[in-house]
Amino acid sequence: MKILVVDDSKAMRSIVLRTFRQAGLDGHTFVEASNGREALELIRTSGPDLVLADWNMPEMNGITLLQTLRAEGNNTRLGFITSESAAETKEEALKSGALFLLTKPFTVDTFKQVVAGHLA
Amino acid sequence: MVAEPDIRGIASSVWGEMLGLPLEEAAATRPPECITGVVQISGGFSGTVMVELSRPLARKVAAALFAMELEQVTEAEVVDAVGEVVNILGGNLKALLPGPSTLSLPRVDEGEPGPGPGRLHARAGLSSDAQALCISLFETPAP
C-alpha cells in the first residue's frame, strides 16, 4: 500500500514510520507531507491508498483536509493520529468520514490494534 | 478541572510510551536557562500549557523522538521535538478541561523563564535523567 503520513512535526512523522516497523507492519511505501494543503495536492496527484493525518497543522488542518476531499467526491481512506482526544473531536472526525482517531501518545500495540485492520 | 496529578499522569505516558526516558516526581523547579514550549487552549477553557526544560534534556528528548544519537541532533530537531511534546501535553490536558475548545500550533522559545501567561492553574515538577522539567497550565483571565 502507498501510505501518506501528514504531520507538521518531522519527529512525529518519523515516529509513525518507526512504529510501522516495530509493529511488524512491513511492505508499504510511505510518502510524507507537512500540512494539509501539501497533502491535498499529493492525494490529488499520486492517489495514496491510506492517509494518516495530524489534526492541528499550519496552512490546512487535518479535518479541513478530510472535509475538502469528501466535498470533491474523493473517498481516499483517512485516519487521524493526533494529540486531540476530546469526545467532540472524535465525533467530528468520524462524522466527516475518518476511519479512526488514534490519540498520541500511543504504544506499538495500540497503534497495531487501530491501524493494522485498515492495511488490507 | 486539571490538577497536578493529571499533568504528571499525561507526562508519564509521553515519557514512557513515546520517549522511553525515565520520569520522576521532583520539586516544581523551573530550570534557570531553559527551552520553553507553549500551546494555547481557546474555548470553554482559555489558557496556556507550558513545558520548560533544560537544554541538555531538550536534546535528549529530541534524540529519543528521532531515534538518533545525541551528537547528531540539530537545533531544528530540538525545536520540533519540544513543540511536539507540548502539543501532545496540550491536547491531552484540553480533553480534561471544559470544552469545546481549540488548540493552537506550538511555539518554542529559549531563555530565562518568564512570569507565565496568566494565572497559574496547576503545575507539576518532574525530573528526567537528573534534569529538571516543569509543566504548567495557566488560565487566561476573562476580558
Side-chain angles (χ1 to χ4, degrees):
Chain A
M1 284 179 79
K2 186 195 279 185
I3 300 170
L4 172 60
V5 181
V6 193
D7 200 305
D8 53 323
S9 165
K10 187 179 156 199
M12 203 58 226
R13 298 200 302 271
S14 123
I15 286 173
V16 170
L17 267 55
R18 193 160 73 238
T19 310
F20 265 94
R21 287 197 302 275
Q22 291 169 335
L25 304 171
D26 301 316
H28 304 289
T29 307
F30 294 97
V31 188
E32 297 180 41
S34 60
N35 61 62
R37 194 166 302 288
E38 214 178 288
L40 189 60
E41 289 310 312
L42 281 169
I43 295 166
R44 285 169 175 160
T45 54
S46 68
D49 302 298
L50 177 67
V51 179
L52 299 177
D54 188 14
W55 188 279
N56 294 309
M57 293 182 286
E59 302 286 333
M60 179 187 283
N61 65 24
I63 190 66
T64 306
L65 167 64
L66 175 59
Q67 289 168 347
T68 305
L69 286 171
R70 295 299 181 260
E72 290 177 356
N74 185 321
N75 289 316
T76 301
R77 296 185 300 154
L78 186 149
F80 287 106
I81 300 181
T82 171
S83 65
E84 295 278 354
S85 58
E88 66 263 20
T89 308
K90 190 167 188 176
E91 192 184 320
E92 188 180 6
L94 299 179
K95 207 170 70 184
S96 300
L99 296 172
F100 56 81
L101 187 144
L102 173 62
T103 302
K104 309 173 198 171
F106 49 78
T107 61
V108 173
D109 285 345
T110 309
F111 183 90
K112 193 172 181 178
Q113 277 166 24
V114 173
V115 177
H118 301 287
L119 298 177
Chain B
M1 292 298 248
V2 166
E4 187 183 338
D6 299 313
I7 298 178
R8 287 188 200 279
I10 294 167
S12 291
S13 297
V14 175
W15 254 250
E17 293 169 13
M18 275 185 58
L19 304 177
L21 291 174
L23 190 70
E24 292 163 9
E25 286 189 27
T29 310
R30 303 165 82 186
E33 286 288 327
C34 63
I35 297 197
T36 303
V38 295
V39 69
Q40 265 97 37
I41 298 171
S42 310
F45 175 93
S46 290
T48 302
V49 177
M50 176 185 283
V51 60
E52 296 162 298
L53 60 178
S54 68
R55 171 158 281 281
L57 181 56
R59 287 183 67 81
K60 277 186 188 174
V61 165
L65 275 182
F66 283 99
M68 57 169 55
E69 297 299 322
L70 208 51
E71 307 76 50
Q72 296 176 312
V73 173
T74 66
E75 185 57 31
E77 284 158 348
V78 170
V79 170
D80 186 323
V82 173
E84 187 55 24
V85 165
V86 77
N87 173 52
I88 296 173
L89 293 168
N92 282 270
L93 286 170
K94 177 170 97 71
L96 302 178
L97 293 161
S101 56
T102 57
L103 196 67
S104 75
L105 294 171
R107 199 186 76 236
V108 177
D109 296 311
E110 187 169 8
E112 289 179 23
R119 186 182 71 80
L120 183 64
H121 183 92
R123 170 173 281 163
L126 298 153
S127 163
S128 179
D129 270 348
Q131 296 281 334
L133 73 141
C134 195
I135 302 168
S136 310
L137 173 65
F138 294 93
E139 187 169 3
T140 308

